[in-house]
Amino acid sequence: MENEGNVRSLIPIVVFVILYLGLGILFEYALDIEMGFYKVSVVMVFLVALFVAIYQTKGLSMNDKFSIMGKGVGDPNILMMLIIFLTAGAFVGIVGREGAESVAYCFLTFIPPELSVLVIFIVSAFVSLAMGTSVGTITMLTPISAQIALTTGFNPALCIASTVGGAMFGDNLSFISDTTIAACNGQGCDMKDKFKENLGIALPAAIATCVIIVIMSITSDIGPVEVGDFDLIRMIPYLVVLIGGIIGINVFGVLILGIITAAVIMLGTEAVAFTDMITNMGDSISGMFETSMVAILVAAICALIAYNGGFKVVLSWIRRKFKSKKGGMLGIGLLVGALDVSTANNTVAIIMANPIAKEIANDYDISPKRTASLLDIILMYLPRDHPVWCTDACSSVIGCNRWSERIGIRCDTQSVLPVHVAHSDTDLHLLPQEKEG
């Protein structure tokens, strides 16, 4: 039986925020360590928070405490989420960079050079929507964006900002995005329903972005675009996943069909050796281990917090402050927004907010699809969040350094000229570097 509301039972969350945010600020600003926030292991901090939750759960044997945690971790939605994470990782690993490049070069071949930046936005959205990863999309397409800026004369800030905006737009709607998976499984709604809910919010912003990009593009003095080789057949796995999700095929069926299609195409076209394909899939699955472990630890922590009455405290506060259904939705937004600011990690914020958001939704009669949509779309993309760091890294470290050097620019996520794209609040800037000699 759960205890009455007890504010002290929320201490594990406070411990997590203080340690994660505190160490991140220490590394990033006090010690001036590049990407300091990502030097802090989120799994380690959650493990400390779990020990705190175990310690403050009084009156139970250790076996009883593990029984409570086991019920939380063993929830069918948690297990389904974990398996989807790993399966989505396998799909991303098998389609690889070449597939994304083929999509981009195909569009650029048939579209006038004046609309190249618009193509970047649309292709980024399509690839991110099909792959479920804004970071992966940005990593793959930023070199192409930089190349377009170099060869055409487009503003590099506009090109790379369009990549970021399109990737975030597509990721927000994707059926296999980790944030979508976490939100939908946590709230018990179908992914296609959440897709429709988000589309009504994100699509108008994306259309407005496209109009702005076109206006900025047609006023630019540009040259021809250099287009690389592409293979249309490599677009098929993306279309399979995208169409399968839209028509309502079970997410496992969509992912397995996408994996099989991609494997047949990659091996049939001799684009990759079988051994390399297996290695790529394994590496990509391994990349989901941290997210999966976070889900397990958060489920265990939340089970103990719920037993100790912590969620009742939060619900009681929200009931006092917000009386209407819209107020309940605002409460959900504030909750996940605060967690995202604290953790700078969208998936972690959703996983932490899920159980409380579900209780709020039940109290205020908010549908599961609306709750899942709120959890996913309200998240703020901070200047130090993964996608923006990715552009910084892509322009100086991950295979794009040659473009940065040739263009004479660098990415700086904390400068003075904001470029706002799609529904995100991302600040992306490119500043001229001093040239030697």
Side-chain angles (χ1 to χ4, degrees):
M1 177 180 292
E2 293 184 4
N3 296 322
E4 294 300 318
N6 182 358
V7 69
R8 287 180 298 177
S9 60
L10 296 173
I11 289 177
I13 296 179
V14 176
V15 168
F16 169 81
V17 171
I18 291 176
L19 284 178
Y20 190 81
L21 196 59
L23 289 173
I25 293 173
L26 174 66
F27 291 169
E28 181 83 16
Y29 300 105
L31 301 179
D32 198 25
I33 298 175
E34 186 178 0
M35 297 183 69
F37 274 94
Y38 299 102
K39 302 297 183 182
V40 183
S41 169
V42 67
V43 174
M44 178 196 71
V45 180
F46 269 125
L47 188 60
V48 173
L50 177 60
F51 288 146
V52 172
I54 293 173
Y55 174 76
Q56 72 170 20
T57 304
K58 306 295 185 180
L60 295 177
S61 67
M62 187 59 73
N63 283 339
D64 289 339
K65 295 177 183 180
F66 274 101
S67 178
I68 294 171
M69 290 186 286
K71 290 178 181 178
V73 174
D75 182 279
N77 286 320
I78 296 294
L79 295 176
M80 183 184 300
M81 181 170 60
L82 296 176
I83 297 174
I84 293 175
F85 279 159
L86 301 179
T87 311
F91 173 75
V92 173
I94 198 172
V95 292
R97 179 185 298 271
E98 291 80 6
E101 291 177 347
S102 288
V103 176
Y105 287 139
C106 174
F107 276 87
L108 289 171
T109 298
F110 301 104
I111 300 297
E114 293 78 8
L115 300 179
S116 298
V117 181
L118 178 64
V119 169
I120 294 172
F121 180 85
I122 294 174
V123 170
S124 294
F126 172 77
V127 172
S128 188
L129 178 61
M131 291 181 62
T133 167
S134 57
V135 173
T137 300
I138 293 169
T139 302
M140 294 175 182
L141 296 182
T142 295
I144 297 176
S145 301
Q147 180 183 12
I148 289 174
L150 171 68
T151 59
T152 63
F154 273 118
N155 186 340
L158 178 63
C159 293
I160 299 182
S162 298
T163 304
V164 176
M168 289 180 175
F169 169 66
D171 190 12
N172 185 256
L173 296 175
S174 175
F175 293 91
I176 61 173
S177 169
D178 50 0
T179 54
T180 295
I181 294 166
C184 290
N185 282 278
Q187 301 306 312
C189 75
D190 290 336
M191 293 184 185
K192 65 176 182 179
D193 292 333
K194 183 259 184 188
F195 171 83
K196 294 175 183 177
E197 196 77 15
N198 272 22
L199 191 63
I201 302 171
L203 185 58
I207 293 174
T209 301
C210 290
V211 172
I212 293 172
I213 290 174
V214 170
I215 293 174
M216 295 179 70
S217 297
I218 61 178
T219 59
S220 302
D221 184 16
I222 62 168
V225 180
E226 292 183 7
V227 179
D229 296 330
F230 64 90
D231 191 347
L232 285 177
I233 196 172
R234 294 190 183 177
M235 296 177 59
I236 295 177
Y238 297 103
L239 295 173
V240 167
V241 171
L242 184 58
I243 295 173
I246 292 175
I247 65 177
I249 298 177
N250 179 276
V251 64
F252 287 111
V254 169
L255 286 171
I256 292 172
L257 187 59
I259 290 171
I260 293 173
T261 303
V264 170
I265 290 173
M266 296 298 283
L267 294 175
T269 58
E270 298 183 348
V272 64
F274 178 76
T275 53
D276 291 337
M277 184 182 73
I278 296 299
T279 300
N280 294 339
M281 291 175 65
D283 290 342
S284 188
I285 292 172
S286 298
M288 301 300 294
F289 286 173
E290 181 179 79
T291 302
S292 300
M293 185 54 65
V294 165
I296 293 172
L297 291 173
V298 170
I301 293 170
C302 288
L304 290 174
I305 291 176
Y307 175 84
N308 291 321
F311 293 159
K312 292 181 179 179
V313 175
V314 177
L315 291 172
S316 177
W317 181 85
I318 290 177
R319 290 190 189 106
R320 290 197 307 270
K321 298 295 181 181
F322 306 107
K323 304 299 182 182
S324 65
K325 184 175 182 178
K326 289 184 178 179
M329 291 189 286
L330 177 59
I332 292 173
L334 292 175
L335 171 68
V336 72
L339 290 171
D340 194 46
V341 168
S342 302
T343 63
N345 188 302
N346 301 331
T347 307
V348 170
I350 290 177
I351 293 172
M352 291 179 69
N354 259 331
I356 305 177
K358 194 166 188 176
E359 293 287 344
I360 297 172
N362 290 335
D363 273 14
Y364 289 87
D365 194 29
I366 304 171
S367 66
K369 65 180 181 179
R370 173 58 60 88
T371 307
S373 176
L374 289 170
L375 288 172
D376 197 10
I377 208 167
I378 288 180
L379 294 178
M380 293 175 286
Y381 290 96
L382 305 175
R384 291 298 182 189
D385 204 1
H386 288 85
V388 187
W389 266 118
C390 190
T391 59
D392 198 8
C394 276
S395 294
S396 58
V397 179
I398 308 176
C400 305
N401 201 31
R402 61 185 184 277
W403 301 120
S404 297
E405 292 172 354
R406 291 175 66 184
I407 300 173
I409 59 170
R410 64 181 176 88
C411 285
D412 183 355
T413 58
Q414 291 184 329
S415 292
V416 293
L417 177 64
V419 180
H420 294 289
V421 284
H423 62 276
S424 66
D425 294 326
T426 299
D427 291 337
L428 179 66
H429 321 284
L430 282 81
L431 302 178
Q433 290 181 322
E434 294 182 4
K435 297 183 180 180
E436 296 181 1

